[in-house]
Amino acid sequence: MKGNNKLSALKKYLLEKGSIAVAFSGGVDSTFLLKVAHEVLGKKALAVTVASEFFTEREYEECMEFVNIHGIPSEIIKLSILENEVVARNPVDRCYHCKKGIFNEIVELAIKRGIQYVADGSNTDDDSDYRPGKRALEELKIISPLREVGMTKADIRVLSKQMNLPTYNKPAFACLASRIPYGETITKEKLNMIESGEAFLMRNGFTQLRVRHHGDIVRIEVLKEEFTKFLDDSFREMVYNRFREIGFLYVTLDMGGYKMGSLN
């Protein structure tokens, strides 16, 4: 099915649902889903953003800007996800426990607001990665409209561009906890270090990146075509000094380059 046909199928799917609360993170997928849902359902489409320690201030501001510009009804849920001891211990199925806590909150809010369905932005490409959080979505009966109509990430980017959405070329961005290896305890301090490091690299022109936290060591992942920036001595020294200021003793560049889900 071609992209525009999938878009028609998505609109029909959403219209049949009647009312929907979209888990809105400001990423490519949830932004696209929210915009289409708002076009189809109007005030019966609600954006719900869960602000936790895993969510950056930049992402939060982008979410608020988007719903304000487009006049989309929205709710903010503030959640201290690290109060969940299982999540903080960071087991291999951390994402399951995290998603269960987050979407429980969204489901409760939807019920209070008289909304029939809660949706996430999963697409068909997500099936290829390790995603224990999918089980939580299934248990809570969360719908994934983009996956249901067969949309890929490429479809969503193309259609987002046609709709003039600012996220059409936005780099993929997973939660901050995904930068810490399984089994290593997640703390607010570690998350702050990661957020500071990634914000610094983005200010210096890097697009798709990850700052991986390995105790005293930071492992920086950037696109291979951006490696040449580190050949400049002054730039490399600036990066080294900044990550030392953030709190890392050793600063490394991953020679394999950026890779989604490299800790899985």
Side-chain angles (χ1 to χ4, degrees):
M1 192 187 301
K2 293 183 178 180
N4 287 325
N5 291 335
K6 291 179 183 179
L7 179 58
S8 296
L10 176 63
K11 290 180 177 180
K12 180 181 178 182
Y13 177 92
L14 293 171
L15 191 61
E16 290 173 350
K17 296 304 177 187
S19 60
I20 189 171
V22 177
F24 180 48
S25 66
V28 179
D29 303 326
S30 66
T31 298
F32 171 74
L33 175 60
L34 177 62
K35 185 64 168 64
V36 177
H38 179 62
E39 288 181 0
V40 172
L41 298 171
K43 293 181 179 180
K44 292 183 178 180
L46 176 69
V48 183
T49 298
V50 178
S52 75
E53 298 93 335
F54 295 174
F55 199 61
T56 69
E57 185 66 26
R58 175 182 58 82
E59 290 176 294
Y60 175 79
E61 291 173 356
E62 289 176 356
C63 285
M64 296 306 96
E65 181 180 12
F66 185 82
V67 296
N68 289 335
I69 288 174
H70 295 278
I72 300 173
S74 66
E75 292 277 1
I76 308 299
I77 298 175
K78 294 190 176 180
L79 177 67
S80 179
I81 198 67
L82 289 181
E83 290 183 3
N84 183 321
E85 294 181 0
V86 178
V87 173
R89 287 202 305 271
N90 196 20
V92 173
D93 64 346
R94 177 204 70 241
C95 192
Y96 164 76
H97 300 283
C98 183
K99 290 267 190 194
K100 194 73 177 282
I102 287 173
F103 277 90
N104 260 324
E105 295 284 335
I106 300 177
V107 168
E108 288 182 11
L109 175 62
I111 292 172
K112 291 178 183 177
R113 293 288 297 269
I115 294 174
Q116 293 176 281
Y117 295 92
V118 173
D120 86 318
S122 298
N123 62 70
T124 59
D125 290 351
D126 293 325
D127 295 336
S128 63
D129 193 16
Y130 172 66
R131 292 181 181 268
K134 185 179 178 182
R135 178 161 59 97
L137 302 181
E138 292 169 350
E139 290 175 0
L140 293 171
K141 295 181 171 55
I142 307 302
I143 62 174
S144 300
L146 303 179
R147 180 190 284 121
E148 290 294 327
V149 300
M151 281 199 175
T152 64
K153 178 71 81 173
D155 291 330
I156 294 162
R157 289 192 184 278
V158 169
L159 291 168
S160 294
K161 187 174 184 179
Q162 292 176 6
M163 294 167 61
N164 294 316
L165 295 179
T167 49
Y168 80 91
N169 64 347
K170 186 175 183 178
F173 191 85
C175 84
L176 292 174
S178 66
R179 279 60 156 172
I180 300 173
Y182 295 122
E184 292 190 12
T185 302
I186 301 172
T187 66
K188 182 61 176 171
E189 180 185 13
K190 290 178 182 178
L191 296 172
N192 287 341
M193 291 169 72
I194 293 165
E195 183 175 358
S196 295
E198 294 194 349
F200 166 76
L201 291 173
M202 283 186 280
R203 287 195 303 271
N204 281 278
F206 291 93
T207 52
Q208 190 70 72
L209 61 101
R210 292 290 184 268
V211 166
R212 307 290 187 186
H213 192 295
H214 296 274
D216 291 338
I217 302 170
V218 59
R219 177 166 59 89
I220 299 170
E221 293 182 10
V222 299
L223 297 175
K224 292 179 181 178
E225 52 266 35
E226 295 182 323
F227 279 9
T228 55
K229 294 180 180 179
F230 291 93
L231 298 178
D232 181 272
D233 287 341
S234 61
F235 178 77
R236 188 170 61 250
E237 185 175 352
M238 179 180 68
V239 172
Y240 174 76
N241 290 335
R242 178 60 187 132
F243 277 91
R244 291 274 294 185
E245 289 172 0
I246 288 171
F248 293 102
L249 290 181
Y250 307 102
V251 184
T252 69
L253 177 66
D254 191 317
M255 293 294 98
Y258 165 76
K259 182 181 179 182
M260 184 179 69
S262 69
L263 289 179
N264 286 336

